[in-house]
């Protein structure tokens, strides 16, 4: 299974109010584990950067001024995502911005299956905080590098959180190694076995004599009646 954990940074909260993407970060996961493939880009939003947004991610207008427009990377982004399941923390927010950018270019929206990790976390930890920082703390994911929001860093942290939310690190067990380890245990156990001679099962003379004496005490045993009926 191929999944893409992704996050965005923006100039504000609502694309309908003219806010734009300024960063996209994606981490590819294959069969539940990061593959090492990522997609990361900063974007020129073609507008000013409100101070409220700058305080969140630290991306200034000056820094973003020479970065590509979304139009320049849209095809590459859509190709990277392809038909993978998307794993997003607060999916409505990020999908709203991505699809708004695609719509500006006359491109169709993403229709991939989406897993919202906020929904997963609320089911697993009802009534508790489910921010990315809170989940990292609860699940032992090191987020000390996260002094500000960053799309790629947040996607990497979310990938670790997602693994824990959906079963934990046992997914990463090396099955071949486990098989070899099991084989070693079997072989070691076999060496310790004590080989004993087969136990004799033939009756001794004394046992045979005791059996005859016991049968003599029986009155009309069923097998003799059956034999008489068969010959009669």
């Amino acid at each position: 299974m191929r999944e893409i954990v992704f996050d965005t940074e923006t100039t504000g909260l609502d694309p309908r109010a003219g806010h734009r993407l300024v960063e996209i970060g994606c981490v590819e996961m294959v069969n539940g584990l990061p593959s090492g493939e990522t997609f990361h880009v900063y974007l020129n939003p073609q507008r000013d950067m409100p101070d409220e947004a700058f305080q969140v991610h630290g991306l200034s207008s000056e820094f973003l001024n020479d970065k590509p427009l979304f139009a320049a990377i849209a095809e590459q982004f859509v190709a990277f995502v392809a038909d993978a399941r998307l794993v997003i923390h607060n999916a409505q927010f990020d999908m709203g911005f991505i699809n708004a950018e695609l719509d500006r270019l006359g491109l169709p929206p993403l229709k991939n299956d989406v897993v919202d990790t906020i929904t997963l976390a609320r089911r697993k930890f009802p009534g508790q905080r489910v921010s990315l920082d809170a989940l990292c703390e609860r699940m032992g994911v090191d987020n000390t590098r996260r002094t500000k929001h960053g799309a790629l860093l947040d996607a990497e942290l979310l990938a670790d959180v997602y693994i824990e939310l959906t079963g934990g690190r046992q997914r990463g067990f090396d099955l071949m190694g486990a098989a070899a380890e099991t084989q070693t245990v079997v072989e070691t156990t076999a060496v310790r076995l004590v080989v004993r001679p087969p136990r004799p099962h033939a009756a001794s003379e004394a046992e045979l004599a005791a059996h005859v004496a016991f049968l003599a005490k029986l009155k009309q045993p069923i097998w003799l009646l059956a034999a008489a009926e068969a010959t009669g």
Side-chain angles (χ1 to χ4, degrees):
M1 179 187 296
R2 183 172 184 265
E3 297 171 299
I4 300 296
V5 184
F6 93 86
D7 186 60
T8 65
E9 299 301 334
T10 69
T11 63
L13 299 177
D14 190 349
R16 295 169 297 180
H19 289 292
R20 305 290 300 273
L21 288 175
V22 295
E23 186 183 7
I24 301 173
C26 302
V27 172
E28 181 187 62
M29 297 182 70
V30 178
N31 295 329
L33 293 172
S35 69
E37 294 295 322
T38 62
F39 177 92
H40 180 230
V41 63
Y42 294 107
L43 298 168
N44 183 344
Q46 297 180 287
R47 55 154 294 162
D48 66 301
M49 178 63 68
D51 185 63
E52 296 86 352
F54 176 75
Q55 295 303 319
V56 171
H57 50 59
L59 302 176
S60 66
S61 297
E62 292 76 18
F63 174 78
L64 297 170
N65 189 51
D66 63 349
K67 302 303 183 284
L69 305 182
F70 181 81
I73 61 90
E75 183 177 343
Q76 183 183 1
F77 168 73
V78 171
F80 181 83
V81 169
D83 60 354
R85 176 187 291 170
L86 306 179
V87 179
I88 311 170
H89 203 64
N90 191 11
Q92 185 176 3
F93 178 86
D94 297 275
M95 290 296 288
F97 270 93
I98 287 291
N99 285 333
E101 295 286 356
L102 292 171
D103 184 62
R104 285 188 179 94
L105 300 177
L107 297 174
L110 295 182
K111 295 184 179 180
N112 304 53
D113 291 338
V114 176
V115 174
D116 192 332
T117 48
I118 282 186
T119 302
L120 288 181
R122 283 175 176 162
R123 290 174 181 169
K124 192 175 184 69
F125 307 110
Q128 300 185 50
R129 294 184 302 125
V130 293
S131 68
L132 183 56
D133 281 332
L135 292 175
C136 285
E137 180 180 354
R138 187 173 295 120
M139 297 180 175
V141 174
D142 182 6
N143 65 339
T144 53
R145 295 179 296 154
R146 195 181 190 236
T147 55
K148 287 186 178 294
H149 290 217
L152 182 59
L153 173 59
D154 286 2
E156 290 170 342
L157 293 174
L158 184 59
D160 285 340
V161 166
Y162 179 58
I163 290 171
E164 298 302 324
L165 282 173
T166 55
R169 289 293 176 177
Q170 66 263 34
R171 285 188 184 196
F173 282 175
D174 180 354
L175 297 182
M176 292 300 293
E181 194 174 287
T182 302
Q183 182 64 33
T184 300
V185 171
V186 170
E187 291 173 354
T188 303
T189 303
V191 170
R192 294 173 184 168
L193 291 177
V194 177
V195 179
R196 295 181 175 89
R199 180 180 178 182
H201 294 284
S204 66
E205 292 296 328
E207 289 172 331
L208 290 173
H211 179 64
V212 171
F214 173 76
L215 292 179
K217 296 178 183 179
L218 297 178
K219 295 180 179 180
Q220 296 182 327
I222 190 170
W223 56 88
L224 291 181
L225 292 175
E229 290 175 0
T231 58

